[in-house]
Amino acid sequence: MDLKVAKFDGNALKDGSKIRDAAQSVVNEYLKGTQIVVIASATSNTTDELIKISTEAVGNFLTASQKAEIMAMGERTSARLLKSAIESLGVKAEVIDPYSDLWPIITDSNFLEAKIDFETSEHKINTLKILLNQGIIPVICGFLGKGRSNEVTTLGRGGSDITAFLIANCLNAKEIIIVSDVDGVMSSDPTQIEKAKLLREISVEELRNLSTKGVRLIHPHALKYKTPELKAKVINCSHKDLTSSGTEIIGPFEEDLQKTASLYKDPLSIIALVGDALLSKTGLLSELTNYMADKDLNIYKLTVGDNSITVFVDKSESDRAYHTLHDFVLKSDTFNSLSLGKDTALITIVNLDVVEKPGIIAAITEQLRKNNIKIIEINSSLTAIVLIVDWNDGERACELINDILE
């Protein structure tokens, strides 16, 4: 029997009519013979209102524990409303919140940004099969957790996504359906660009990058529980049908599963183009990259400073790139000279748990310093850490970095 997880966000549950529609879509899927687990977010703006009211009432005397308890009321209420709507349609459902014996999400005791204990949670999640095998639909509060001392915790903004993907992963669900008030993932913000189009599919890596850069459609940490076998999609609640199309989330691909530092297989050569006040020159990067593209030269990395632009090219193309860029410099009124540097190694870390770990950059640089490995460049973003070291140090540096990541 197929098992699906349906997560309804606050906009999909923002009023009684939408809650009724959500319940009907769940029941319709259930009547097809599908086992279904429902994840409920707080109704639209409820959490913000609870925070505002509690702050006005208590101010700085509000403890983290109290705040978590108060914030939990949004999900606890919406789950009960959704459960009641499902049962009004003739199907038995059961609310599961942190006070239930069946509560499945176990965390540490960080009340407002709790970390999940995966092994304990996995075991608890599998007990949900007791209800499923009895034909009961579990309606689970998203966003919430339970600490080791049974205290209520929260998973942070967007935590309902984490709840949904974690449960789908542990139950080996066939599909997870994210139900919102948008058609899916758009090519851009439709409120700002009228020509924005619906993406029929998007990779886990692309969606993670969007999520960490302000497009909070799905929490990036939820996507680490997405397996290649787990189907996932984002659909609009207006369809009132969990089988409707939207945006399919594909992957992750094998390389996306990388949890350690990885070394690019070939050496990269450095070419530095030198000039003055480069940051003030409009269109300079476009001229450079277009020139290289016209010559069929790929740029693996590019760094911009006020007095130089550094490009990294494959060593096999370094001589041709050097001569090509020399011609570019001669034609330019901006650049004065260029140089071809040493062969370098490119090391990348893309796992979010590693990238966001406090002090990780310091730990990496200290590890390499102690082993007399010079870092030529290091860059970090919300999704990756990238290092450049001498090619002869590449393998050793990668091993040392992986030692501290384990």
Side-chain angles (χ1 to χ4, degrees), residues 156-169:
R157 288 288 185 178
S160 292
D161 297 327
I162 298 174
T163 306
F165 274 88
L166 173 63
I167 288 174
N169 177 300

Side-chain angles (χ1 to χ4, degrees), residues 104-306:
I105 310 299
I106 308 303
T107 72
D108 62 14
S109 295
N110 186 334
F111 292 106
L112 303 179
E113 294 283 346
K115 302 298 182 185
I116 292 171
D117 180 336
F118 180 82
E119 290 186 3
T120 305
S121 296
E122 183 179 30
H123 172 73
K124 294 285 289 183
I125 288 168
N126 274 282
T127 63
L128 297 174
K129 293 176 181 178
I130 297 171
L131 291 181
L132 292 167
N133 292 334
Q134 293 174 358
I136 300 171
I137 297 176
V139 182
I140 302 172
C141 298
F143 173 65
L144 308 181
K146 183 161 68 175
R148 290 293 184 179
S149 300
N150 295 323
E151 65 273 30
V152 173
T153 62
T154 66
L155 304 180
R157 288 288 185 178
S160 292
D161 297 327
I162 298 174
T163 306
F165 274 88
L166 173 63
I167 288 174
N169 177 300
C170 293
L171 289 178
N172 295 313
K174 178 182 179 181
E175 184 176 31
I176 179 169
I177 306 152
I178 305 298
V179 187
S180 186
D181 63 343
V182 295
D183 291 332
V185 183
M186 307 296 289
S187 59
S188 186
D189 186 345
T191 64
Q192 298 185 38
I193 298 180
E194 293 182 5
K195 294 182 179 179
K197 295 187 180 297
L198 174 68
L199 303 180
R200 289 300 174 185
E201 63 178 36
I202 188 170
S203 72
V204 165
E205 188 62 26
E206 289 172 321
L207 186 54
R208 182 186 292 123
N209 283 328
L210 282 175
S211 298
T212 55
K213 292 175 174 63
V215 183
R216 303 295 288 187
L217 188 59
I218 294 179
H219 196 293
H221 282 292
L223 296 170
K224 68 184 178 182
Y225 298 113
K226 165 77 169 71
T227 65
E229 298 78 23
L230 174 61
K231 293 181 179 180
K233 65 180 179 181
V234 181
I235 65 171
N236 198 317
C237 60
S238 65
H239 298 305
K240 307 175 187 179
D241 182 359
L242 297 182
T243 65
S244 63
S245 60
T247 299
E248 182 182 358
I249 303 168
I250 58 174
F253 303 110
E254 185 175 352
E255 60 266 27
D256 296 334
L257 300 174
Q258 176 72 9
K259 292 189 175 181
T260 56
S262 61
L263 175 68
Y264 183 67
K265 59 185 177 63
D266 297 319
L268 302 179
S269 295
I270 302 174
I271 302 177
L273 293 82
V274 178
D276 293 321
L278 300 182
L279 295 177
S280 64
K281 303 293 178 23
T282 302
L284 188 59
L285 282 180
S286 175
E287 292 177 19
L288 174 61
T289 57
N290 286 338
Y291 190 86
M292 294 187 71
D294 289 342
K295 304 298 182 181
D296 198 28
L297 288 168
N298 189 34
I299 300 173
Y300 288 80
K301 191 175 183 300
L302 185 148
T303 305
V304 181
D306 196 42

Side-chain angles (χ1 to χ4, degrees), residues 350-366:
V350 297
N351 181 264
L352 280 181
D353 286 339
V354 172
V355 172
E356 294 184 350
K357 185 177 180 180
I360 188 63
I361 299 293
I364 290 172
T365 56
E366 177 62 13

Side-chain angles (χ1 to χ4, degrees), residues 20-167:
R20 179 79 175 181
D21 290 341
Q24 187 67 67
S25 68
V26 169
V27 169
N28 289 346
E29 194 68 21
Y30 172 87
L31 294 176
K32 296 175 185 176
T34 303
Q35 290 185 328
I36 186 162
V37 176
V38 176
I39 310 299
S41 300
T43 56
S44 181
N45 297 324
T46 297
T47 302
D48 289 337
E49 284 299 316
L50 288 170
I51 293 172
K52 179 182 177 182
I53 293 170
S54 59
T55 300
E56 290 174 348
V58 187
N60 294 332
F61 294 99
L62 187 70
T63 68
S65 173
Q66 291 168 339
K67 188 173 183 178
E69 288 269 6
I70 292 167
M71 291 168 67
M73 296 307 296
E75 277 71 21
R76 295 184 66 205
T77 300
S78 61
R80 283 161 172 78
L81 289 168
L82 191 49
K83 179 254 191 187
S84 298
I86 290 171
E87 292 197 327
S88 74
L89 297 171
V91 176
K92 188 165 180 55
E94 182 170 334
V95 169
I96 301 177
D97 67 14
Y99 299 98
S100 166
D101 291 338
L102 289 176
W103 178 254
I105 310 299
I106 308 303
T107 72
D108 62 14
S109 295
N110 186 334
F111 292 106
L112 303 179
E113 294 283 346
K115 302 298 182 185
I116 292 171
D117 180 336
F118 180 82
E119 290 186 3
T120 305
S121 296
E122 183 179 30
H123 172 73
K124 294 285 289 183
I125 288 168
N126 274 282
T127 63
L128 297 174
K129 293 176 181 178
I130 297 171
L131 291 181
L132 292 167
N133 292 334
Q134 293 174 358
I136 300 171
I137 297 176
V139 182
I140 302 172
C141 298
F143 173 65
L144 308 181
K146 183 161 68 175
R148 290 293 184 179
S149 300
N150 295 323
E151 65 273 30
V152 173
T153 62
T154 66
L155 304 180
R157 288 288 185 178
S160 292
D161 297 327
I162 298 174
T163 306
F165 274 88
L166 173 63
I167 288 174

